Amino acid sequence: MSAPNPSETGLTFEQVRSVSPALERYTQDAIMGNLWKRPELSPRDRSIITVSALIARNQTIGMPHYFNLALDNGVKPAEISEIVTHLAFYAGWSNAFFAVAVLKDIFAQRGIGTDHLPPVSPELLPINEQAEEQRAAAVQASTGGIVPGLEKFTTELLFKNLWLRPGLTPRDRSLGTISALIANGQSAQIPFHLNKAMDNGLTEAQASEAVTHLAFYAGWPNAFSAVPVVKSVFESRKTKAA
Amino acid sequence: MSAPNPSETGLTFEQVRSVSPALERYTQDAIMGNLWKRPELSPRDRSIITVSALIARNQTIGMPHYFNLALDNGVKPAEISEIVTHLAFYAGWSNAFFAVAVLKDIFAQRGIGTDHLPPVSPELLPINEQAEEQRAAAVQASTGGIVPGLEKFTTELLFKNLWLRPGLTPRDRSLGTISALIANGQSAQIPFHLNKAMDNGLTEAQASEAVTHLAFYAGWPNAFSAVPVVKSVFESRKTKAA
Amino acid sequence: MSAPNPSETGLTFEQVRSVSPALERYTQDAIMGNLWKRPELSPRDRSIITVSALIARNQTIGMPHYFNLALDNGVKPAEISEIVTHLAFYAGWSNAFFAVAVLKDIFAQRGIGTDHLPPVSPELLPINEQAEEQRAAAVQASTGGIVPGLEKFTTELLFKNLWLRPGLTPRDRSLGTISALIANGQSAQIPFHLNKAMDNGLTEAQASEAVTHLAFYAGWPNAFSAVPVVKSVFESRKTKAA
């Protein structure tokens, strides 16, 4: 029911079988029959994680199937639109444009017009001024002010704008962000965003299962490289809470 | 005779020349005329390394030429099929699917049917129980049990199944794995897999030349980032042996 | 005037809007209306940085627009040709071939023939023998001689040939190199090349702004991961100069 139906990715199961009967079987049994049915994450969460990983890695071959599956799993068109916009910043502008190239046709096929999409300038969520001041100060301290342009855009575009757009909950926005980071092996940026994700409501069990899920979509090495970083975040939060 | 003949990648030498006469010359002289003829690795090994790097990096433009060259260099269809399946796990599912999209046509053109491909459930190679117990214990110790799903899939799907499939020798499976790791700059995962590769019969001279070979296909920065890790593995094995 | 006009990338602004009205607005306002107009870098420098990042990341969807923009911004065809050749070594051979696949049509459309391109074997720039000896010795010391093939190709092909080709100034060659490194998150290789870039005339302000510029094209995580490395290079040069 869920996950890689190659017939919607430009590949049929028969085509996969014509190169590797074993790969077809792993896809059907391990991914569709097992991974997506594990209760640790909802199918909707798995869809957010998967499409974020595909966008972050330019995996256009899987996008038609997984964008459709995400819509079927309850991710709203407006939420997918926000994920693409969000990952322009967190994975690179062209990554978002590759996703647009696929999604425009899916939205057209499903009759999803701009009236279903988030407006350009919605009323923003209220900002947590104290947390934002701490974030900006921490960045300033660590960068030593050597990249003023980057600091400025980060504050104005990302934390005082993008992250406050109401079309995607902060928790789901965080889930997409850490999925993109893990999928691209960007360990150094995981601690800040995993902490933010957990502050936004992501549980330890969900974060753990996201790593497991991403092993299939971004490869075992990216999953294993994330583990020590995730572990140290879990531990540091327990220490603080104690 | 070997290596990048752009005419089979959708690019002709003339087209490369029309953008960069120097790039065409480097391709013909340095890669085809020199690199592929160096005796430190057989053309068959160079093919395994190259196709693994291309799959790991989604370099579809080079796949038609290098998949054909691999078959010409003695990599059997069943072995290429196993490499694709193996790298679904070690590079990501979509990476394998991109390779399938190219290989299905090559297999069809060459009349390679499923009777030439590894069965879904072959009799597996015998497992080294002691080594597997040590591996699982080491993972458990380092992860602290925070990713139970990942541990479970790693044991059941990878080390008690994928790695024991007989269609590709453990040594060649290891060669493809470390090639993918180096090609994607995943240094943290190199020590375990380079040790495994050398336990499986890869020599120091071959591992060294694989790094040299990958400089061309994955870029100098990935090759140079691998060097200190490879060096420390070589040294640690000498210490143990002493 | 500058930057991502999706109509030349295969995407129109209308298509971007059909998936994300906000993404279109960010593109028009933040990137075209703001980033590219910042005075810290010339449009020509921004073009070198952008095309280097796109080549390094296989972002073919943005290439038609940005190659054309680079030519409009004063990057000569011969210089673009050299950037592609240079990045074959610094990003991987297939990356250069993907760029060739796009550029061959642009050169044809603009009537740019091989008479406008750098010859295969031009008279090379004079080599700084002392600096080259130091570089080779440093590599030898750090690698411990474990990758003789890589050392040989690095000296003969890269530092005694590629870097001395006169079709691109050493400063612009360095700018393309560090852009590719930052765009791919290859932090370990940044110190050597950023020092070389600054020795070749790149200023601190320009290097800082390059990081800011790359945040949009390679994603915020790659920009932020580069910051501590860039900072330590800036500091070490001040210490030496003091």
Side-chain angles (χ1 to χ4, degrees):
Chain A
M1 180 166 32
S2 10
N5 177 353
S7 69
E8 294 170 59
T9 66
L11 289 182
T12 62
F13 277 122
E14 192 178 1
Q15 288 172 328
V16 176
R17 201 183 315 136
S18 77
V19 171
S20 169
L23 182 60
E24 186 214 358
R25 185 65 63 90
Y26 283 127
T27 306
Q28 302 241 31
D29 291 357
I31 296 186
M32 294 171 66
N34 188 335
L35 180 70
W36 279 77
K37 294 182 175 168
R38 289 166 57 88
E40 288 82 356
L41 282 171
S42 69
R44 183 180 174 280
D45 278 348
R46 291 188 189 274
S47 277
I48 291 174
I49 294 166
T50 307
V51 299
S52 297
L54 295 182
I55 296 171
R57 293 164 57 83
N58 273 334
Q59 303 281 27
T60 48
I61 203 170
M63 286 185 192
H65 171 67
Y66 283 108
F67 282 140
N68 275 303
L69 180 62
L71 291 165
D72 294 342
N73 280 340
V75 186
K76 291 178 199 151
E79 292 170 327
I80 292 189
S81 173
E82 284 294 316
I83 289 171
V84 171
T85 306
H86 189 86
L87 293 180
F89 291 92
Y90 281 93
W93 223 257
S94 289
N95 293 62
F97 275 24
F98 273 117
V100 166
V102 176
L103 265 177
K104 67 179 170 49
D105 296 333
I106 294 175
F107 280 6
Q109 285 156 15
R110 290 181 173 238
I112 297 166
T114 47
D115 52 322
H116 291 85
L117 302 179
V120 168
S121 300
E123 189 177 343
L124 299 178
L125 299 176
I127 193 166
N128 180 333
E129 297 277 8
Q130 195 190 350
E132 170 54 18
E133 272 174 35
Q134 285 175 357
R135 185 205 61 76
V139 166
Q140 234 282 333
S142 78
T143 65
I146 64 151
V147 280
L150 182 61
E151 281 189 62
K152 180 174 174 291
F153 283 122
T154 303
T155 298
E156 292 176 9
L157 285 180
L158 273 61
F159 288 95
K160 294 195 169 174
N161 189 291
L162 182 70
W163 279 90
L164 304 179
R165 292 176 57 84
L168 191 67
T169 66
R171 185 264 191 198
D172 289 348
R173 206 172 274 282
S174 277
L175 184 58
T177 307
I178 62 165
S179 298
L181 294 174
I182 295 169
N184 277 337
Q186 294 169 317
S187 300
Q189 308 308 317
I190 292 177
F192 172 79
H193 283 289
L194 180 53
N195 270 304
K196 188 173 171 70
M198 296 178 78
D199 291 345
N200 284 337
L202 194 76
T203 68
E204 228 181 67
Q206 290 169 339
S208 164
E209 184 71 9
V211 174
T212 300
H213 190 92
L214 286 163
F216 289 89
Y217 293 95
W220 250 251
N222 282 321
F224 264 95
S225 292
V227 170
V229 187
V230 170
K231 180 164 172 269
S232 76
V233 170
F234 286 178
E235 286 167 356
S236 74
R237 294 176 70 89
K238 289 208 176 69
T239 309
K240 274 184 209 155
Chain B
M1 181 166 31
S2 8
N5 178 352
S7 69
E8 293 170 58
T9 65
L11 288 182
T12 62
F13 277 121
E14 193 177 2
Q15 288 172 327
V16 176
R17 201 183 315 134
S18 76
V19 171
S20 169
L23 182 60
E24 187 214 357
R25 186 63 65 90
Y26 283 127
T27 306
Q28 301 241 31
D29 291 357
I31 296 186
M32 295 170 66
N34 188 335
L35 180 70
W36 278 78
K37 294 182 174 167
R38 289 166 57 89
E40 287 82 354
L41 283 170
S42 69
R44 184 181 173 281
D45 278 348
R46 291 189 189 275
S47 277
I48 291 174
I49 294 165
T50 307
V51 300
S52 298
L54 295 182
I55 295 171
R57 293 163 57 82
N58 273 334
Q59 303 280 28
T60 47
I61 202 170
M63 287 184 189
H65 171 68
Y66 282 108
F67 282 139
N68 275 303
L69 180 63
L71 291 165
D72 294 343
N73 280 340
V75 186
K76 291 177 199 151
E79 292 170 327
I80 292 189
S81 173
E82 284 294 318
I83 290 170
V84 171
T85 306
H86 189 85
L87 293 180
F89 292 92
Y90 281 94
W93 224 256
S94 288
N95 293 63
F97 275 25
F98 274 118
V100 166
V102 176
L103 266 176
K104 66 180 170 49
D105 296 333
I106 294 174
F107 280 7
Q109 285 157 15
R110 290 180 174 238
I112 297 166
T114 48
D115 52 321
H116 290 85
L117 302 180
V120 167
S121 300
E123 189 177 342
L124 298 177
L125 300 174
I127 193 167
N128 180 332
E129 298 276 7
Q130 194 189 351
E132 171 53 18
E133 271 172 36
Q134 285 175 356
R135 184 205 60 75
V139 166
Q140 234 281 333
S142 77
T143 65
I146 65 151
V147 280
L150 182 61
E151 281 190 61
K152 181 174 175 289
F153 283 122
T154 303
T155 298
E156 292 176 9
L157 284 180
L158 273 63
F159 288 95
K160 293 196 169 174
N161 190 292
L162 182 71
W163 278 90
L164 304 178
R165 292 176 58 84
L168 190 67
T169 67
R171 184 265 191 197
D172 289 348
R173 206 172 275 280
S174 277
L175 184 58
T177 308
I178 62 165
S179 298
L181 293 175
I182 295 170
N184 278 336
Q186 294 169 317
S187 300
Q189 308 308 317
I190 292 176
F192 172 80
H193 283 290
L194 180 53
N195 270 306
K196 188 173 170 70
M198 296 179 78
D199 291 345
N200 284 337
L202 193 75
T203 68
E204 230 181 66
Q206 290 169 339
S208 164
E209 184 71 8
V211 174
T212 300
H213 189 91
L214 286 164
F216 288 89
Y217 293 96
W220 250 251
N222 281 322
F224 264 96
S225 292
V227 170
V229 187
V230 170
K231 180 164 173 268
S232 76
V233 170
F234 286 180
E235 286 167 357
S236 73
R237 293 177 70 89
K238 288 207 176 71
T239 308
K240 274 185 209 155
Chain C
M1 180 168 32
S2 11
N5 178 351
S7 68
E8 294 171 58
T9 65
L11 288 182
T12 61
F13 277 122
E14 193 178 2
Q15 288 172 328
V16 176
R17 201 182 316 135
S18 76
V19 171
S20 169
L23 182 60
E24 186 214 358
R25 186 64 64 88
Y26 283 127
T27 306
Q28 301 242 31
D29 291 357
I31 296 186
M32 294 171 66
N34 187 336
L35 180 70
W36 279 78
K37 294 181 175 169
R38 287 166 58 88
E40 287 82 355
L41 283 170
S42 69
R44 183 181 174 280
D45 278 349
R46 291 189 190 273
S47 277
I48 291 174
I49 294 165
T50 307
V51 300
S52 298
L54 295 182
I55 295 171
R57 292 163 58 82
N58 273 334
Q59 303 280 29
T60 47
I61 202 170
M63 287 185 189
H65 172 67
Y66 282 108
F67 282 140
N68 275 303
L69 180 62
L71 291 164
D72 294 342
N73 280 340
V75 186
K76 291 178 198 152
E79 292 171 327
I80 291 189
S81 173
E82 283 294 318
I83 289 171
V84 171
T85 306
H86 189 85
L87 293 181
F89 292 92
Y90 281 94
W93 223 257
S94 289
N95 293 62
F97 275 25
F98 274 118
V100 166
V102 175
L103 265 177
K104 66 179 172 46
D105 296 332
I106 294 175
F107 281 6
Q109 285 156 14
R110 290 180 173 239
I112 297 166
T114 48
D115 52 322
H116 290 85
L117 302 179
V120 167
S121 301
E123 190 176 342
L124 298 177
L125 300 175
I127 193 166
N128 179 333
E129 298 276 8
Q130 195 189 352
E132 171 54 19
E133 271 174 35
Q134 284 176 357
R135 185 205 60 77
V139 166
Q140 235 281 332
S142 77
T143 64
I146 64 151
V147 279
L150 182 62
E151 282 190 60
K152 180 174 175 289
F153 283 122
T154 303
T155 298
E156 293 176 8
L157 284 181
L158 273 62
F159 287 96
K160 293 195 169 174
N161 190 290
L162 181 71
W163 278 89
L164 304 178
R165 291 177 57 85
L168 190 67
T169 66
R171 184 265 191 196
D172 289 348
R173 206 172 274 282
S174 276
L175 184 58
T177 308
I178 61 164
S179 298
L181 294 175
I182 295 170
N184 278 337
Q186 294 168 318
S187 300
Q189 308 307 316
I190 292 177
F192 172 79
H193 282 290
L194 180 54
N195 270 305
K196 189 174 171 71
M198 295 179 78
D199 291 345
N200 284 337
L202 193 76
T203 68
E204 229 181 68
Q206 290 168 339
S208 164
E209 184 72 7
V211 174
T212 299
H213 189 92
L214 287 163
F216 288 89
Y217 292 95
W220 250 250
N222 281 322
F224 263 96
S225 292
V227 170
V229 188
V230 170
K231 180 163 172 268
S232 76
V233 170
F234 287 179
E235 285 167 357
S236 74
R237 293 176 71 88
K238 289 208 175 71
T239 308
K240 275 184 208 152

